[in-house]
């Protein structure tokens, strides 16, 4: 390994500072088009606010639709930060350091986007405050609210606190070269970090507590999200495996999203030296093993009630496997679960590009899976009435599109204005790995562990 | 060799013959059967605790200490069969008493089974169930000692305590700064501001607490699919106090009980459910006073949403009272 030198440090800092300086025309076009989608979605939302939820296709029989699917999807994505950052930090896996910051950013951004969809689904956003006033502890929605608030607080802190030393670096190196607002932002957010012993101690303490807290909280969040379904006596939701299933699904889609975001940022900001193929491989292995857990959970979820096969279950299976939802369902199974496993299994397809393809399929598959849980579950008639159908209206599509654009926008802005690599952690780790005696013969040999990116 | 085989065969035949003779000898005396006399009600109501007695007599003598079953025809997953309700042994008078609770509506085919030395003897009879609603398996809400909401509060307090503890270290980072101009004040200031904002905000929200929850615009309910609930057809205007408009005595108490979503928490017929208490007491309990009943609905005790005049008028509440407790006495 290249020893820890001033030259290495400078290069790393330059790389991380680079996004704040140059932003080309492509960046402007990208941000502008995202902004357009967001504004369009906001217009649709205002329309919905004025006219009521009647402008969606949600009715009394299928009363949850694509909003709730999007909520679960984004909450699931937020698992990325927890898995990569907290679990790997607790287990001291050193390969994590270059990717933790991005993972943590995805967590915070994903939760914000997910949470907004609950408010969108309420129709009138001011209903939110009834949660605090008339909240009923016996309702899983209340647990959900509680868990997500806790998780959001903890994960925003978990994103921010380890970023303090890097923000101080931004403050010191960008201070008078950027606008006063940006400079003020860095100065404020760095809260006077000057890397003294006491500060370092406090920093490690905070991160230490948070990483331990955040893992169970994340597990609780995804379990509780599943409970808003599983606590009702509706066929196909009435399942004990839902909690575990949702946690696994969250890790699955979270890691997939991380792969995509990493690949994009690596390409755009030339981070090839730090984010290598090895990182993608490890993440893809986690993703593939989670696909196996998902398959296992699916089999359990269907086999147990299927063995007893009540009337409602029969209806649920029929619409899922062969009728209304069959196309979507089999796309989810083949594209979202089997394909990623195949891609990761073959040595030839273990490239960044193929992993991104697999991750895109996983995310589409998981969105479909969330949609099927909500809509197909709601469609099963519990009384003897004609099963009704649901197809999202333009308002719903617009709001969901704007949610996805919002997710991308927040990440884009984060990458533009904040340190996307955990510089101090990378330096610290490099210093630990570098022997105190300088390496005598730095021959340019490829590192056996760190493969050169393709 | 051959003679050996022949010998074996004849021995086997002899053995089978003896077995057959024994079987015939055992079955034959069953002709003289014991007599089972059943005393059971012919008409019952759902929810009744029912007693069935049976007397077993064999050749004029009471059968003592015999195993007896009371069974009914049960249906599960499309298959029917005899299912045991109660079991007992006959006393010195040859008599046995069974108990069960009538749970379902409709005719019940039942029988008393006697397992005597001569085999099983059944005595079938029918019970007509005339009235009442279906009783379900059990009441919801098992009261497990020491399990309660306090554990949830404790857990939330623990997690938030840890987060605040972690936060305190972040504050220390700012305080330990050696930079010129002293420690940055933003973190403590922000914390202070956040706490004040939250406390004042909560306070404002609490004092502004509206009478009924989700009561956004009670005059403009959403149009939804027409529904039929308990007998009356009416345009479904949503459940809960949110969209409920007072019918001012035009709807029956039962309809209002469902439409006002009392049923959501207090269960069918006020029998109680997981969330809400049972409204109707044991038989013989006196009904609550109408005025205090109205008062409760206006206040919304124990976390129940309050219903104001616009949601349910006094006349509506009286109708619900009558539906639950019967016509007011006096």
């Amino acid at each position: 390994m290249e020893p820890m030198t001033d030259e290495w440090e400078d290069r790393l800092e330059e790389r991380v500072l680079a996004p704040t300086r140059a932003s080309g025309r492509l960046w402007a076009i990208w941000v502008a088009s995202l902004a357009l989608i967001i504004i369009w979605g906001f217009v649709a939302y205002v329309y919905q606010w004025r006219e009521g939820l009647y402008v969606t296709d949600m009715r009394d029989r299928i009363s949850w639709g694509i909003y709730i699917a999007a909520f679960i999807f984004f909450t699931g994505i937020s698992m990325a930060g927890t898995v990569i950052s907290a679990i790997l930090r607790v287990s001291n896996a050193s390969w994590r350091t270059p990717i933790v910051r991005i993972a943590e950013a995805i967590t915070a951004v994903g939760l914000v986007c997910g949470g907004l969809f609950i408010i969108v689904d309420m129709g009138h956003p001011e209903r939110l405050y009834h949660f605090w006033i008339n909240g009923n502890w016996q309702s899983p929605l209340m647990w959900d609210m509680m868990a997500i608030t806790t998780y959001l607080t903890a994960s925003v802190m978990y994103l921010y606190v380890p970023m303090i030393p890097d923000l101080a670096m931004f403050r010191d190196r960008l201070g008078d070269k950027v606008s006063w607002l940006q400079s003020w932002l860095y100065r404020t957010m760095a809260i006077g970090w000057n890397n003294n012993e006491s500060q370092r101690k406090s920093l490690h303490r905070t991160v230490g507590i948070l990483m331990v807290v955040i893992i169970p909280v994340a597990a609780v969040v995804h379990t509780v999200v599943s409970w808003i379904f599983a606590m009702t006596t509706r066929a196909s939701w009435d399942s004990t495996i839902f909690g575990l299933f949702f946690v696994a699904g969250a890790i699955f889609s979270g890691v997939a999203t991380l792969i995509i975001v990493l690949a994009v940022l690596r390409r755009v900001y030339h981070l090839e030296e730090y984010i290598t193929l090895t990182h993608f491989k490890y993440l893809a292995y986690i993703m593939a093993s989670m696909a196996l857990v998902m398959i296992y959970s699916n089999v359990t979820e269907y086999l147990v009630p299927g063995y007893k096969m009540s009337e409602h279950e029969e209806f649920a299976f029929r619409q899922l496997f062969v009728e209304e939802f069959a196309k979507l369902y089999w796309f989810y199974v083949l594209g979202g679960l089997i394909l990623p496993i195949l891609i990761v299994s073959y040595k030839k397809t273990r490239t960044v590009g193929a992993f991104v393809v697999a991750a895109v399929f996983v995310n589409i598959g998981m969105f479909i899976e969330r949609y099927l849980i909500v809509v197909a579950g709601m469609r099963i008639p519990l009384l003897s009435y004609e099963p009704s159908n649901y197809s999202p209206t333009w308002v719903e599509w617009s709001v969901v599109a704007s949610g996805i654009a919002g997710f991308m926008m927040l990440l884009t802005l984060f990458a533009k204005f904040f340190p996307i690599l955990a510089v101090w952690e990378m330096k610290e780790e490099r210093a630990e790995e570098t022997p105190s005696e300088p390496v005598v013969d730095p021959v340019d040999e490829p590192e056996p562990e760190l493969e050169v990116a393709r | 060799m051959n003679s050996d085989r022949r010998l074996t065969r004849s021995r086997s035949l002899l053995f089978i013959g003896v077995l057959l003779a024994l079987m015939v000898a055992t079955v034959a005396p069953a002709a003289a059967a014991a007599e089972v006399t059943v005393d059971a009600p012919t008409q019952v109501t759902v929810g009744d605790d029912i007693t069935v007695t049976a007397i077993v007599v064999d050749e004029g003598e009471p059968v003592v200490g015999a195993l007896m079953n009371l069974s009914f025809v049960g249906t599960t997953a499309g298959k029917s069969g005899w299912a045991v309700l109660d079991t007992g042994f006959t006393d010195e008078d040859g008599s046995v008493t069974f108990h069960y609770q009538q749970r379902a509506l409709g005719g019940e085919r039942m029988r008393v089974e006697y397992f005597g030395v001569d085999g099983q003897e059944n005595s079938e009879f029918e019970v007509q169930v005339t009235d009442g609603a279906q009783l379900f398996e059990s009441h919801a809400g098992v009261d497990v000692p020491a399990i309660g909401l306090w554990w949830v509060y404790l857990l939330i307090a623990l997690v938030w305590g840890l987060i605040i503890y972690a936060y305190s270290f972040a504050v220390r980072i700012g305080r330990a700064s050696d930079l010129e101009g002293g420690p940055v004040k933003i973190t403590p200031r922000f914390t202070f501001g956040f706490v004040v904002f939250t406390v004042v905000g909560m306070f404002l929200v609490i004092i502004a607490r509206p009478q009924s929850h989700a009561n956004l615009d009670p005059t403009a309910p959403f149009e939804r699919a027409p529904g039929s609930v308990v007998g009356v057809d009416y345009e479904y205007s949503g459940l809960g106090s949110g969209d409920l408009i007072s019918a001012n005595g035009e709807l029956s108490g039962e309809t209002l009980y469902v439409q006002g979503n009392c049923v959501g928490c207090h269960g069918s017929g006020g029998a109680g459910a997981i969330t809400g208490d049972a409204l109707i007491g044991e038989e013989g309990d006196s009904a609550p006073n109408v005025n205090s009943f109205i008062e409760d609905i206006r206040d919304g005790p124990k976390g129940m949403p309050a219903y104001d005049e616009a949601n349910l008028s006094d006349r509506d509440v009286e109708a619900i009272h009558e539906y639950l407790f019967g016509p007011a006495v006096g």
Side-chain angles (χ1 to χ4, degrees), chain A residues 51-54 60-61 124 126-127 129-130 132-134 136-138 146 149-150 153-154 157 160-161 164 171 184 187-188 190-194 196 198-199 201-203 205-206 209-210 213 217, chain B residues 149 152-153 156 159-160 162-163 165-167 169-179 184 186-187 202 205-206 208-210 212-216 222-226 236 243 265 274-275 303:
Chain A
E51 301 294 317
L53 282 174
Y54 196 75
D60 50 352
R61 283 172 197 170
H124 272 255
E126 64 269 28
R127 281 186 175 166
Y129 104 113
H130 290 288
W132 303 109
I133 293 309
N134 298 305
N136 178 2
W137 280 104
Q138 278 141 337
M146 206 67 227
T149 316
T150 311
T153 311
M157 266 183 81
Y160 167 63
V161 174
I164 293 172
R171 174 198 62 199
W184 175 85
R187 211 171 48 244
T188 310
I191 53 169
W193 175 271
N194 59 342
N196 65 36
S198 156
Q199 285 182 331
K201 220 179 196 172
S202 291
L203 181 76
R205 268 268 172 73
T206 322
I209 299 166
L210 283 175
V213 169
V217 170
Chain B
L149 201 52
V152 178
Y153 296 152
I156 292 170
V159 172
W160 277 92
L162 280 169
I163 291 174
Y165 183 57
Y167 181 77
F169 285 105
V171 173
R172 271 181 229 186
I173 294 176
R175 295 198 146 186
S177 174
D178 305 332
L179 289 184
V184 175
I186 190 78
T187 314
M202 286 281 188
V205 162
I206 287 164
R209 179 178 176 149
S212 63
H213 69 173
N215 195 357
L216 299 167
F222 284 84
E223 257 182 55
R224 298 181 208 176
Y236 179 71
D243 320 21
C265 295
I274 299 177
T275 314

Side-chain angles (χ1 to χ4, degrees), chain B residues 141-292:
Chain B
V142 183
D143 205 2
V144 182
I147 297 292
L149 201 52
W150 290 107
W151 292 104
V152 178
Y153 296 152
L154 196 71
L155 184 72
I156 292 170
L158 180 76
V159 172
W160 277 92
L162 280 169
I163 291 174
I164 291 166
Y165 183 57
Y167 181 77
S168 75
F169 285 105
V171 173
R172 271 181 229 186
I173 294 176
R175 295 198 146 186
S177 174
D178 305 332
L179 289 184
E180 273 175 47
V184 175
K185 294 271 172 33
I186 190 78
T187 314
R189 269 184 206 162
F190 177 76
T191 314
F192 181 73
F194 183 77
V195 169
V196 168
F197 175 80
T198 313
V199 170
V200 171
M202 286 281 188
F203 183 71
L204 284 177
V205 162
I206 287 164
I207 57 169
R209 179 178 176 149
Q211 274 293 299
S212 63
H213 69 173
N215 195 357
L216 299 167
D217 184 5
T219 55
F222 284 84
E223 257 182 55
R224 298 181 208 176
S228 165
V229 184
V230 282
V232 192
D233 275 339
Y234 62 95
E235 196 69 14
Y236 179 71
S237 57
L239 289 176
S241 55
D243 320 21
L244 184 70
I245 315 167
S246 164
N248 212 10
E250 278 173 28
L251 294 174
S252 73
E254 187 179 12
T255 307
L256 287 165
Y257 183 77
V258 175
Q259 193 186 3
N261 209 12
C262 313
V263 66
C265 295
H266 294 291
S268 165
I274 299 177
T275 314
D277 294 340
L279 298 174
I280 51 169
E282 298 290 311
E283 209 168 303
D285 283 4
S286 58
N289 179 281
V290 181
N291 291 330
S292 69

Side-chain angles (χ1 to χ4, degrees), chain A residues 83-347:
Chain A
V83 178
I84 300 311
S85 189
I87 295 179
L88 296 183
R89 202 173 257 155
V90 167
S91 59
N92 218 0
S94 59
W95 62 274
R96 70 168 203 274
T97 39
I99 59 175
V100 280
R101 181 67 44 75
I102 296 168
E104 285 154 12
I106 293 176
T107 297
V109 170
L111 268 180
V112 169
C113 292
L116 285 178
F117 273 101
I118 300 188
I119 298 170
V120 169
D121 187 74
M122 280 179 175
H124 272 255
E126 64 269 28
R127 281 186 175 166
L128 189 69
Y129 104 113
H130 290 288
F131 249 121
W132 303 109
I133 293 309
N134 298 305
N136 178 2
W137 280 104
Q138 278 141 337
S139 162
L141 293 174
M142 182 78 182
W143 314 338
D144 214 21
M145 193 75 181
M146 206 67 227
I148 287 182
T149 316
T150 311
Y151 189 35
L152 184 61
T153 311
S155 55
V156 166
M157 266 183 81
Y158 192 56
L159 169 67
Y160 167 63
V161 174
M163 201 159 62
I164 293 172
D166 296 339
L167 285 167
M169 188 259 285
F170 269 43
R171 174 198 62 199
D172 297 341
R173 296 201 49 172
L174 292 174
D176 44 2
K177 294 184 196 108
V178 286
S179 69
W180 67 268
L181 187 69
Q182 221 172 318
S183 157
W184 175 85
L185 189 74
Y186 298 141
R187 211 171 48 244
T188 310
M189 289 187 76
I191 53 169
W193 175 271
N194 59 342
N195 202 18
N196 65 36
E197 186 56 35
S198 156
Q199 285 182 331
R200 273 201 301 275
K201 220 179 196 172
S202 291
L203 181 76
H204 281 286
R205 268 268 172 73
T206 322
V207 175
I209 299 166
L210 283 175
M211 74 184 176
V212 173
V213 169
I214 215 163
I215 297 171
V217 170
V220 165
V221 165
H222 297 290
T223 307
V224 166
V225 166
S226 86
W227 281 351
I228 63 174
F229 303 100
M231 291 290 168
T232 56
T233 50
R234 190 168 263 283
S236 90
W237 292 353
D238 185 10
S239 164
T240 51
I241 204 172
F242 254 41
L244 175 79
F245 185 38
F246 271 54
V247 174
I251 299 177
F252 189 43
S253 57
V255 171
T257 309
L258 183 59
I259 289 178
I260 300 171
V261 175
L262 278 180
V264 172
L265 291 180
R266 173 178 183 255
R267 185 76 173 269
V268 173
Y269 293 126
H270 310 291
L271 306 172
E272 284 87 353
E273 187 189 344
Y274 311 104
I275 302 170
T276 63
L277 181 65
T278 316
H279 294 108
F280 286 96
K281 270 192 185 171
Y282 287 171
L283 289 174
Y285 292 156
I286 298 178
M287 187 171 77
S289 54
M290 278 301 139
L292 290 172
V293 175
M294 289 299 286
I295 293 173
Y296 168 77
S297 308
N298 268 322
V299 169
T300 314
E301 188 203 348
Y302 298 135
L303 195 60
V304 172
Y307 202 77
K308 292 162 283 196
M309 199 58 104
S310 72
E311 198 182 316
H312 296 142
E313 294 293 351
E314 195 269 343
F315 187 92
F317 290 160
R318 195 151 35 82
Q319 65 172 5
L320 207 56
F321 299 150
V322 289
E323 285 176 3
E324 280 78 7
F325 302 107
K327 273 183 201 158
L328 285 176
Y329 178 76
W330 291 109
F331 177 84
Y332 153 69
V333 172
L334 299 175
L337 297 177
I338 308 284
L339 183 75
I341 296 178
L342 292 181
I343 287 179
V344 177
S345 305
Y346 287 108
K347 209 166 184 182

Side-chain angles (χ1 to χ4, degrees), chain B residues 3 71 87 106 111 144 166 179 201 265 300:
Chain B
S3 63
S71 299
T87 297
R111 74 183 187 192
V144 182
L179 289 184
C265 295

